[in-house]
Short mmCIF file of all heavy atoms in Angstrom, two decimals:
data_model
loop_
_atom_site.label_atom_id
_atom_site.label_comp_id
_atom_site.label_asym_id
_atom_site.label_seq_id
_atom_site.Cartn_x
_atom_site.Cartn_y
_atom_site.Cartn_z
N ALA N 326 3.99 -3.20 1.50
CA ALA N 326 3.99 -4.60 1.88
C ALA N 326 2.97 -5.38 1.06
O ALA N 326 3.20 -6.56 0.75
CB ALA N 326 3.68 -4.73 3.36
N ARG N 327 1.88 -4.75 0.73
CA ARG N 327 0.79 -5.45 0.05
C ARG N 327 1.22 -6.08 -1.28
O ARG N 327 0.90 -7.26 -1.52
CB ARG N 327 -0.35 -4.46 -0.14
CG ARG N 327 -1.65 -5.06 -0.51
CD ARG N 327 -2.69 -3.96 -0.53
NE ARG N 327 -4.01 -4.47 -0.70
CZ ARG N 327 -5.08 -3.75 -0.58
NH1 ARG N 327 -4.99 -2.46 -0.28
NH2 ARG N 327 -6.25 -4.27 -0.75
N PRO N 328 1.93 -5.36 -2.15
CA PRO N 328 2.33 -5.99 -3.41
C PRO N 328 3.26 -7.19 -3.21
O PRO N 328 3.16 -8.18 -3.93
CB PRO N 328 3.05 -4.87 -4.17
CG PRO N 328 2.64 -3.60 -3.52
CD PRO N 328 2.30 -3.94 -2.12
N TYR N 329 4.14 -7.11 -2.22
CA TYR N 329 5.06 -8.21 -1.95
C TYR N 329 4.32 -9.43 -1.40
O TYR N 329 4.65 -10.57 -1.74
CB TYR N 329 6.16 -7.77 -0.99
CG TYR N 329 7.04 -6.69 -1.57
CD1 TYR N 329 7.03 -5.42 -1.03
CD2 TYR N 329 7.86 -6.94 -2.66
CE1 TYR N 329 7.82 -4.42 -1.56
CE2 TYR N 329 8.66 -5.95 -3.20
CZ TYR N 329 8.64 -4.69 -2.65
OH TYR N 329 9.42 -3.70 -3.18
N LEU N 330 3.33 -9.18 -0.56
CA LEU N 330 2.53 -10.29 -0.04
C LEU N 330 1.72 -10.94 -1.15
O LEU N 330 1.59 -12.17 -1.19
CB LEU N 330 1.60 -9.81 1.07
CG LEU N 330 2.26 -9.56 2.41
CD1 LEU N 330 1.30 -8.82 3.35
CD2 LEU N 330 2.71 -10.86 3.03
N ALA N 331 1.17 -10.14 -2.05
CA ALA N 331 0.41 -10.69 -3.18
C ALA N 331 1.32 -11.53 -4.07
O ALA N 331 0.93 -12.63 -4.52
CB ALA N 331 -0.24 -9.57 -3.98
N GLU N 332 2.54 -11.05 -4.29
CA GLU N 332 3.50 -11.82 -5.09
C GLU N 332 3.89 -13.11 -4.37
O GLU N 332 3.96 -14.17 -4.99
CB GLU N 332 4.74 -10.98 -5.37
CG GLU N 332 5.76 -11.71 -6.23
CD GLU N 332 7.00 -10.88 -6.53
OE1 GLU N 332 7.09 -9.72 -6.08
OE2 GLU N 332 7.88 -11.43 -7.22
N SER N 333 4.12 -13.03 -3.06
CA SER N 333 4.48 -14.24 -2.33
C SER N 333 3.33 -15.24 -2.35
O SER N 333 3.56 -16.45 -2.47
CB SER N 333 4.91 -13.91 -0.90
OG SER N 333 3.82 -13.50 -0.11
N LEU N 334 2.11 -14.75 -2.25
CA LEU N 334 0.96 -15.65 -2.32
C LEU N 334 0.94 -16.40 -3.65
O LEU N 334 0.76 -17.62 -3.68
CB LEU N 334 -0.34 -14.85 -2.13
CG LEU N 334 -1.64 -15.63 -2.27
CD1 LEU N 334 -1.71 -16.79 -1.27
CD2 LEU N 334 -2.83 -14.69 -2.12
N ASP N 335 1.17 -15.68 -4.73
CA ASP N 335 1.21 -16.33 -6.05
C ASP N 335 2.31 -17.39 -6.12
O ASP N 335 2.10 -18.48 -6.64
CB ASP N 335 1.44 -15.28 -7.15
CG ASP N 335 0.25 -14.37 -7.36
OD1 ASP N 335 -0.87 -14.73 -6.94
OD2 ASP N 335 0.45 -13.27 -7.93
N LEU N 336 3.48 -17.06 -5.58
CA LEU N 336 4.61 -18.00 -5.61
C LEU N 336 4.33 -19.22 -4.73
O LEU N 336 4.63 -20.35 -5.13
CB LEU N 336 5.90 -17.30 -5.17
CG LEU N 336 6.41 -16.22 -6.12
CD1 LEU N 336 7.56 -15.44 -5.48
CD2 LEU N 336 6.85 -16.84 -7.44
N TYR N 337 3.78 -18.99 -3.55
CA TYR N 337 3.46 -20.13 -2.68
C TYR N 337 2.41 -21.02 -3.31
O TYR N 337 2.50 -22.25 -3.24
CB TYR N 337 2.97 -19.64 -1.31
CG TYR N 337 4.05 -19.03 -0.46
CD1 TYR N 337 3.81 -17.86 0.25
CD2 TYR N 337 5.31 -19.61 -0.34
CE1 TYR N 337 4.79 -17.29 1.05
CE2 TYR N 337 6.30 -19.04 0.45
CZ TYR N 337 6.04 -17.89 1.15
OH TYR N 337 7.00 -17.34 1.92
N ARG N 338 1.42 -20.43 -3.93
CA ARG N 338 0.39 -21.24 -4.59
C ARG N 338 0.99 -22.04 -5.73
O ARG N 338 0.67 -23.22 -5.91
CB ARG N 338 -0.72 -20.34 -5.12
CG ARG N 338 -1.67 -19.87 -4.05
CD ARG N 338 -2.71 -18.95 -4.62
NE ARG N 338 -3.79 -18.67 -3.66
CZ ARG N 338 -4.62 -17.67 -3.77
NH1 ARG N 338 -4.54 -16.82 -4.77
NH2 ARG N 338 -5.55 -17.49 -2.86
N ALA N 339 1.85 -21.40 -6.52
CA ALA N 339 2.47 -22.08 -7.66
C ALA N 339 3.34 -23.25 -7.22
O ALA N 339 3.42 -24.27 -7.91
CB ALA N 339 3.28 -21.08 -8.49
N SER N 340 3.98 -23.10 -6.06
CA SER N 340 4.86 -24.16 -5.58
C SER N 340 4.13 -25.20 -4.71
O SER N 340 4.72 -26.19 -4.30
CB SER N 340 6.02 -23.56 -4.77
OG SER N 340 5.55 -23.03 -3.55
N GLY N 341 2.83 -24.95 -4.45
CA GLY N 341 2.07 -25.90 -3.65
C GLY N 341 2.27 -25.76 -2.15
O GLY N 341 1.89 -26.64 -1.39
N ASP N 342 2.86 -24.65 -1.73
CA ASP N 342 3.12 -24.42 -0.30
C ASP N 342 1.88 -23.79 0.33
O ASP N 342 1.77 -22.57 0.46
CB ASP N 342 4.34 -23.50 -0.15
CG ASP N 342 4.77 -23.33 1.29
OD1 ASP N 342 3.98 -23.62 2.21
OD2 ASP N 342 5.91 -22.88 1.51
N ARG N 343 0.95 -24.63 0.74
CA ARG N 343 -0.33 -24.13 1.25
C ARG N 343 -0.20 -23.45 2.60
O ARG N 343 -0.96 -22.53 2.91
CB ARG N 343 -1.34 -25.27 1.31
CG ARG N 343 -1.68 -25.80 -0.07
CD ARG N 343 -2.77 -26.83 -0.07
NE ARG N 343 -2.56 -27.83 0.98
CZ ARG N 343 -3.39 -28.81 1.24
NH1 ARG N 343 -4.51 -28.93 0.55
NH2 ARG N 343 -3.14 -29.69 2.19
N GLY N 344 0.75 -23.90 3.41
CA GLY N 344 0.91 -23.29 4.73
C GLY N 344 1.32 -21.83 4.63
O GLY N 344 0.72 -20.96 5.27
N ASN N 345 2.33 -21.55 3.84
CA ASN N 345 2.77 -20.15 3.69
C ASN N 345 1.79 -19.34 2.86
O ASN N 345 1.66 -18.13 3.07
CB ASN N 345 4.18 -20.09 3.09
CG ASN N 345 5.23 -20.39 4.14
OD1 ASN N 345 5.16 -19.89 5.27
ND2 ASN N 345 6.19 -21.23 3.79
N ALA N 346 1.07 -19.98 1.95
CA ALA N 346 0.02 -19.28 1.22
C ALA N 346 -1.04 -18.79 2.20
O ALA N 346 -1.53 -17.66 2.09
CB ALA N 346 -0.60 -20.18 0.15
N ASN N 347 -1.37 -19.62 3.18
CA ASN N 347 -2.37 -19.22 4.18
C ASN N 347 -1.89 -18.04 5.01
O ASN N 347 -2.67 -17.14 5.34
CB ASN N 347 -2.72 -20.38 5.10
CG ASN N 347 -3.78 -21.26 4.51
OD1 ASN N 347 -4.37 -20.95 3.49
ND2 ASN N 347 -4.05 -22.37 5.15
N ILE N 348 -0.59 -18.02 5.35
CA ILE N 348 -0.05 -16.89 6.11
C ILE N 348 -0.15 -15.62 5.27
O ILE N 348 -0.53 -14.56 5.78
CB ILE N 348 1.40 -17.16 6.54
CG1 ILE N 348 1.48 -18.37 7.46
CG2 ILE N 348 2.01 -15.93 7.19
CD1 ILE N 348 0.69 -18.25 8.75
N SER N 349 0.15 -15.72 3.98
CA SER N 349 0.03 -14.56 3.10
C SER N 349 -1.42 -14.09 3.03
O SER N 349 -1.69 -12.88 3.07
CB SER N 349 0.54 -14.89 1.70
OG SER N 349 1.93 -15.14 1.73
N LEU N 350 -2.36 -15.03 2.93
CA LEU N 350 -3.78 -14.67 2.90
C LEU N 350 -4.18 -13.97 4.19
O LEU N 350 -4.91 -12.97 4.17
CB LEU N 350 -4.64 -15.92 2.71
CG LEU N 350 -4.65 -16.53 1.32
CD1 LEU N 350 -5.23 -17.94 1.37
CD2 LEU N 350 -5.42 -15.65 0.36
N LEU N 351 -3.69 -14.48 5.31
CA LEU N 351 -4.01 -13.88 6.61
C LEU N 351 -3.51 -12.44 6.67
O LEU N 351 -4.25 -11.52 7.04
CB LEU N 351 -3.37 -14.70 7.73
CG LEU N 351 -3.46 -14.12 9.14
CD1 LEU N 351 -4.90 -14.01 9.60
CD2 LEU N 351 -2.65 -14.97 10.10
N LEU N 352 -2.27 -12.22 6.27
CA LEU N 352 -1.69 -10.88 6.32
C LEU N 352 -2.38 -9.93 5.35
O LEU N 352 -2.66 -8.78 5.68
CB LEU N 352 -0.19 -10.94 6.07
CG LEU N 352 0.61 -11.68 7.14
CD1 LEU N 352 2.06 -11.85 6.70
CD2 LEU N 352 0.53 -10.98 8.48
N LEU N 353 -2.67 -10.42 4.15
CA LEU N 353 -3.40 -9.59 3.18
C LEU N 353 -4.79 -9.24 3.70
O LEU N 353 -5.27 -8.12 3.52
CB LEU N 353 -3.49 -10.30 1.83
CG LEU N 353 -2.20 -10.33 1.02
CD1 LEU N 353 -2.30 -11.35 -0.11
CD2 LEU N 353 -1.88 -8.95 0.47
N GLY N 354 -5.44 -10.20 4.35
CA GLY N 354 -6.74 -9.94 4.93
C GLY N 354 -6.69 -8.90 6.03
O GLY N 354 -7.55 -8.02 6.13
N GLN N 355 -5.66 -8.97 6.86
CA GLN N 355 -5.51 -7.99 7.93
C GLN N 355 -5.25 -6.59 7.36
O GLN N 355 -5.80 -5.61 7.86
CB GLN N 355 -4.38 -8.40 8.87
CG GLN N 355 -4.73 -9.61 9.71
CD GLN N 355 -3.55 -10.11 10.53
OE1 GLN N 355 -2.40 -9.90 10.20
NE2 GLN N 355 -3.88 -10.81 11.60
N ILE N 356 -4.43 -6.51 6.33
CA ILE N 356 -4.17 -5.22 5.69
C ILE N 356 -5.45 -4.65 5.10
O ILE N 356 -5.76 -3.48 5.28
CB ILE N 356 -3.07 -5.36 4.61
CG1 ILE N 356 -1.71 -5.62 5.28
CG2 ILE N 356 -3.01 -4.11 3.72
CD1 ILE N 356 -0.61 -6.01 4.30
N ALA N 357 -6.20 -5.50 4.39
CA ALA N 357 -7.46 -5.04 3.78
C ALA N 357 -8.42 -4.54 4.86
O ALA N 357 -9.07 -3.51 4.70
CB ALA N 357 -8.09 -6.16 2.97
N SER N 358 -8.48 -5.25 5.98
CA SER N 358 -9.36 -4.83 7.06
C SER N 358 -8.94 -3.48 7.62
O SER N 358 -9.78 -2.61 7.85
CB SER N 358 -9.34 -5.89 8.16
OG SER N 358 -10.16 -5.51 9.24
N GLU N 359 -7.66 -3.30 7.84
CA GLU N 359 -7.15 -2.03 8.36
C GLU N 359 -7.43 -0.87 7.41
O GLU N 359 -7.60 0.27 7.84
CB GLU N 359 -5.65 -2.12 8.64
CG GLU N 359 -5.30 -2.99 9.82
CD GLU N 359 -5.78 -2.42 11.14
OE1 GLU N 359 -5.70 -1.19 11.32
OE2 GLU N 359 -6.23 -3.20 11.99
N ARG N 360 -7.48 -1.16 6.12
CA ARG N 360 -7.73 -0.13 5.12
C ARG N 360 -9.23 0.11 4.92
O ARG N 360 -9.62 0.92 4.08
CB ARG N 360 -7.08 -0.52 3.80
CG ARG N 360 -5.56 -0.55 3.85
CD ARG N 360 -4.96 -1.09 2.58
NE ARG N 360 -5.37 -0.34 1.43
CZ ARG N 360 -4.58 0.43 0.70
NH1 ARG N 360 -3.32 0.54 1.00
NH2 ARG N 360 -5.05 1.08 -0.34
N GLY N 361 -10.06 -0.62 5.64
CA GLY N 361 -11.50 -0.45 5.50
C GLY N 361 -12.09 -1.19 4.32
O GLY N 361 -13.24 -0.97 3.97
N GLU N 362 -11.33 -2.08 3.72
CA GLU N 362 -11.78 -2.86 2.56
C GLU N 362 -12.35 -4.18 3.08
O GLU N 362 -11.76 -5.25 2.94
CB GLU N 362 -10.61 -3.08 1.60
CG GLU N 362 -10.05 -1.76 1.08
CD GLU N 362 -8.69 -1.89 0.43
OE1 GLU N 362 -8.07 -2.98 0.48
OE2 GLU N 362 -8.24 -0.88 -0.14
N HIS N 363 -13.51 -4.08 3.71
CA HIS N 363 -14.04 -5.20 4.47
C HIS N 363 -14.47 -6.39 3.61
O HIS N 363 -14.29 -7.53 4.04
CB HIS N 363 -15.19 -4.72 5.36
CG HIS N 363 -14.74 -3.65 6.30
ND1 HIS N 363 -13.83 -3.87 7.31
CD2 HIS N 363 -15.05 -2.33 6.36
CE1 HIS N 363 -13.61 -2.75 7.96
NE2 HIS N 363 -14.33 -1.78 7.40
N ALA N 364 -15.00 -6.16 2.45
CA ALA N 364 -15.40 -7.27 1.58
C ALA N 364 -14.17 -8.06 1.14
O ALA N 364 -14.18 -9.30 1.16
CB ALA N 364 -16.17 -6.76 0.37
N GLU N 365 -13.11 -7.35 0.76
CA GLU N 365 -11.87 -8.03 0.36
C GLU N 365 -11.27 -8.78 1.55
O GLU N 365 -10.81 -9.92 1.42
CB GLU N 365 -10.86 -7.03 -0.20
CG GLU N 365 -9.57 -7.70 -0.65
CD GLU N 365 -8.56 -6.74 -1.24
OE1 GLU N 365 -8.86 -5.54 -1.40
OE2 GLU N 365 -7.46 -7.20 -1.55
N ALA N 366 -11.27 -8.13 2.72
CA ALA N 366 -10.74 -8.77 3.92
C ALA N 366 -11.50 -10.06 4.22
O ALA N 366 -10.90 -11.10 4.51
CB ALA N 366 -10.81 -7.81 5.10
N ARG N 367 -12.82 -9.99 4.14
CA ARG N 367 -13.64 -11.17 4.41
C ARG N 367 -13.29 -12.31 3.46
O ARG N 367 -13.13 -13.46 3.87
CB ARG N 367 -15.12 -10.81 4.28
CG ARG N 367 -16.06 -11.97 4.58
CD ARG N 367 -17.48 -11.72 4.11
NE ARG N 367 -17.48 -11.57 2.66
CZ ARG N 367 -18.02 -10.53 2.01
NH1 ARG N 367 -18.61 -9.56 2.66
NH2 ARG N 367 -17.98 -10.47 0.70
N ASP N 368 -13.16 -12.00 2.17
CA ASP N 368 -12.85 -13.03 1.18
C ASP N 368 -11.48 -13.66 1.44
O ASP N 368 -11.33 -14.89 1.38
CB ASP N 368 -12.91 -12.45 -0.23
CG ASP N 368 -14.30 -12.05 -0.65
OD1 ASP N 368 -15.29 -12.46 0.01
OD2 ASP N 368 -14.41 -11.30 -1.64
N LEU N 369 -10.49 -12.82 1.71
CA LEU N 369 -9.14 -13.33 1.97
C LEU N 369 -9.09 -14.17 3.23
O LEU N 369 -8.50 -15.26 3.25
CB LEU N 369 -8.15 -12.17 2.08
CG LEU N 369 -7.85 -11.42 0.78
CD1 LEU N 369 -7.21 -10.07 1.07
CD2 LEU N 369 -6.97 -12.26 -0.13
N LEU N 370 -9.73 -13.69 4.29
CA LEU N 370 -9.71 -14.42 5.55
C LEU N 370 -10.53 -15.69 5.47
O LEU N 370 -10.17 -16.71 6.08
CB LEU N 370 -10.17 -13.51 6.69
CG LEU N 370 -9.22 -12.35 6.99
CD1 LEU N 370 -9.87 -11.35 7.93
CD2 LEU N 370 -7.90 -12.85 7.55
N ALA N 371 -11.61 -15.68 4.72
CA ALA N 371 -12.41 -16.90 4.54
C ALA N 371 -11.60 -17.96 3.79
O ALA N 371 -11.63 -19.15 4.15
CB ALA N 371 -13.71 -16.59 3.79
N GLU N 372 -10.86 -17.53 2.78
CA GLU N 372 -10.01 -18.47 2.04
C GLU N 372 -8.90 -19.02 2.95
O GLU N 372 -8.57 -20.20 2.91
CB GLU N 372 -9.40 -17.79 0.81
CG GLU N 372 -8.59 -18.72 -0.04
CD GLU N 372 -8.01 -18.09 -1.30
OE1 GLU N 372 -8.40 -16.95 -1.63
OE2 GLU N 372 -7.16 -18.73 -1.92
N CYS N 373 -8.35 -18.14 3.77
CA CYS N 373 -7.33 -18.55 4.74
C CYS N 373 -7.90 -19.57 5.72
O CYS N 373 -7.28 -20.60 6.01
CB CYS N 373 -6.80 -17.33 5.47
SG CYS N 373 -5.62 -17.70 6.77
N LEU N 374 -9.08 -19.30 6.23
CA LEU N 374 -9.73 -20.21 7.18
C LEU N 374 -9.98 -21.57 6.54
O LEU N 374 -9.66 -22.61 7.13
CB LEU N 374 -11.04 -19.60 7.68
CG LEU N 374 -11.87 -20.47 8.61
CD1 LEU N 374 -11.10 -20.79 9.89
CD2 LEU N 374 -13.18 -19.78 8.93
N THR N 375 -10.53 -21.57 5.35
CA THR N 375 -10.80 -22.82 4.65
C THR N 375 -9.52 -23.62 4.43
O THR N 375 -9.48 -24.83 4.66
CB THR N 375 -11.49 -22.53 3.30
OG1 THR N 375 -12.69 -21.81 3.54
CG2 THR N 375 -11.80 -23.81 2.55
N GLY N 376 -8.47 -22.93 3.98
CA GLY N 376 -7.19 -23.61 3.76
C GLY N 376 -6.59 -24.13 5.04
O GLY N 376 -6.04 -25.24 5.08
N GLY N 377 -6.66 -23.33 6.09
CA GLY N 377 -6.11 -23.77 7.37
C GLY N 377 -6.83 -24.99 7.92
O GLY N 377 -6.20 -25.94 8.39
N LEU N 378 -8.15 -24.97 7.85
CA LEU N 378 -8.92 -26.11 8.35
C LEU N 378 -8.68 -27.35 7.50
O LEU N 378 -8.61 -28.46 8.04
CB LEU N 378 -10.41 -25.76 8.38
CG LEU N 378 -10.80 -24.69 9.41
CD1 LEU N 378 -12.28 -24.38 9.30
CD2 LEU N 378 -10.42 -25.12 10.82
N ALA N 379 -8.52 -27.19 6.20
CA ALA N 379 -8.25 -28.33 5.32
C ALA N 379 -6.91 -28.98 5.66
O ALA N 379 -6.76 -30.20 5.52
CB ALA N 379 -8.26 -27.88 3.85
N ARG N 380 -5.96 -28.18 6.13
CA ARG N 380 -4.65 -28.69 6.50
C ARG N 380 -4.59 -29.14 7.96
O ARG N 380 -3.58 -29.64 8.41
CB ARG N 380 -3.59 -27.60 6.30
CG ARG N 380 -3.39 -27.18 4.88
CD ARG N 380 -2.29 -26.12 4.74
NE ARG N 380 -1.02 -26.59 5.30
CZ ARG N 380 -0.44 -26.07 6.37
NH1 ARG N 380 -0.98 -25.07 7.03
NH2 ARG N 380 0.70 -26.55 6.80
N GLY N 381 -5.65 -28.91 8.71
CA GLY N 381 -5.64 -29.23 10.12
C GLY N 381 -4.89 -28.21 10.95
O GLY N 381 -4.48 -28.47 12.08
N ASP N 382 -4.70 -27.03 10.40
CA ASP N 382 -3.97 -25.94 11.06
C ASP N 382 -4.96 -25.05 11.80
O ASP N 382 -5.41 -24.04 11.29
CB ASP N 382 -3.18 -25.15 10.02
CG ASP N 382 -2.34 -24.03 10.62
OD1 ASP N 382 -2.37 -23.86 11.86
OD2 ASP N 382 -1.67 -23.34 9.85
N ARG N 383 -5.30 -25.45 12.99
CA ARG N 383 -6.30 -24.72 13.76
C ARG N 383 -5.78 -23.35 14.21
O ARG N 383 -6.55 -22.41 14.37
CB ARG N 383 -6.76 -25.53 14.94
CG ARG N 383 -7.59 -26.73 14.50
CD ARG N 383 -8.10 -27.49 15.66
NE ARG N 383 -6.96 -28.18 16.29
CZ ARG N 383 -7.06 -29.03 17.28
NH1 ARG N 383 -8.23 -29.34 17.77
NH2 ARG N 383 -5.99 -29.61 17.78
N GLY N 384 -4.46 -23.22 14.40
CA GLY N 384 -3.90 -21.95 14.84
C GLY N 384 -4.14 -20.84 13.82
O GLY N 384 -4.60 -19.75 14.16
N THR N 385 -3.86 -21.13 12.56
CA THR N 385 -4.11 -20.15 11.52
C THR N 385 -5.60 -19.90 11.38
O THR N 385 -6.04 -18.77 11.18
CB THR N 385 -3.52 -20.61 10.17
OG1 THR N 385 -2.12 -20.81 10.33
CG2 THR N 385 -3.75 -19.60 9.08
N GLY N 386 -6.40 -20.95 11.54
CA GLY N 386 -7.85 -20.79 11.49
C GLY N 386 -8.35 -19.83 12.54
O GLY N 386 -9.19 -18.98 12.27
N VAL N 387 -7.83 -19.96 13.74
CA VAL N 387 -8.22 -19.05 14.82
C VAL N 387 -7.84 -17.62 14.49
O VAL N 387 -8.63 -16.69 14.68
CB VAL N 387 -7.61 -19.48 16.17
CG1 VAL N 387 -7.77 -18.42 17.23
CG2 VAL N 387 -8.21 -20.80 16.63
N LEU N 388 -6.64 -17.42 13.97
CA LEU N 388 -6.20 -16.06 13.61
C LEU N 388 -7.09 -15.48 12.51
O LEU N 388 -7.38 -14.28 12.53
CB LEU N 388 -4.73 -16.08 13.17
CG LEU N 388 -3.72 -16.37 14.27
CD1 LEU N 388 -2.33 -16.50 13.68
CD2 LEU N 388 -3.75 -15.30 15.34
N CYS N 389 -7.52 -16.31 11.58
CA CYS N 389 -8.42 -15.83 10.53
C CYS N 389 -9.76 -15.40 11.12
O CYS N 389 -10.32 -14.38 10.74
CB CYS N 389 -8.64 -16.92 9.48
SG CYS N 389 -7.17 -17.25 8.51
N LEU N 390 -10.26 -16.19 12.05
CA LEU N 390 -11.53 -15.84 12.69
C LEU N 390 -11.41 -14.55 13.49
O LEU N 390 -12.31 -13.71 13.47
CB LEU N 390 -12.01 -16.97 13.60
CG LEU N 390 -12.51 -18.21 12.88
CD1 LEU N 390 -12.76 -19.33 13.88
CD2 LEU N 390 -13.74 -17.91 12.06
N ILE N 391 -10.29 -14.36 14.17
CA ILE N 391 -10.06 -13.12 14.91
C ILE N 391 -10.03 -11.96 13.93
O ILE N 391 -10.59 -10.89 14.20
CB ILE N 391 -8.77 -13.21 15.73
CG1 ILE N 391 -8.94 -14.18 16.88
CG2 ILE N 391 -8.36 -11.81 16.26
CD1 ILE N 391 -7.66 -14.53 17.60
N GLY N 392 -9.39 -12.15 12.78
CA GLY N 392 -9.33 -11.09 11.77
C GLY N 392 -10.70 -10.73 11.23
O GLY N 392 -10.93 -9.60 10.83
N CYS N 393 -11.61 -11.69 11.22
CA CYS N 393 -12.97 -11.44 10.73
C CYS N 393 -13.82 -10.69 11.74
O CYS N 393 -14.84 -10.13 11.38
CB CYS N 393 -13.66 -12.75 10.38
SG CYS N 393 -13.03 -13.56 8.90
N ALA N 394 -13.41 -10.68 12.98
CA ALA N 394 -14.22 -10.08 14.04
C ALA N 394 -14.23 -8.56 13.95
O ALA N 394 -13.41 -7.92 13.43
CB ALA N 394 -13.72 -10.51 15.40
#
């Protein structure tokens, strides 16, 4: 799943679809966390949180914070 999510993130970013890019960041962050890659998870989830808050998407922001816990 990880390579497909990374590819989707690139495509969403290229097309300017910030909402779906944030979902990809969230999922990639959760995968990294489950794999014990905590620094990568933190970076991905922090980017997701920043993007979500910039869009006014508090729901995604909350999920990112939960993922950081």
Side-chain angles (χ1 to χ4, degrees):
R327 194 175 188 171
Y329 296 113
L330 284 169
E332 181 179 0
S333 71
L334 176 59
D335 291 341
L336 293 171
Y337 289 136
R338 283 178 169 162
S340 69
D342 186 343
R343 295 186 314 177
N345 282 316
N347 275 353
I348 298 299
S349 295
L350 286 165
L351 173 63
L352 295 172
L353 285 166
Q355 290 174 335
I356 290 170
S358 179
E359 289 293 321
R360 294 173 57 112
E362 299 165 352
H363 302 294
E365 181 179 356
R367 182 195 62 233
D368 292 346
L369 290 163
L370 293 169
E372 184 178 349
C373 176
L374 176 61
T375 302
L378 293 177
R380 295 182 56 247
D382 182 0
R383 291 183 289 186
T385 301
V387 168
L388 291 174
C389 291
L390 289 172
I391 290 169
C393 289

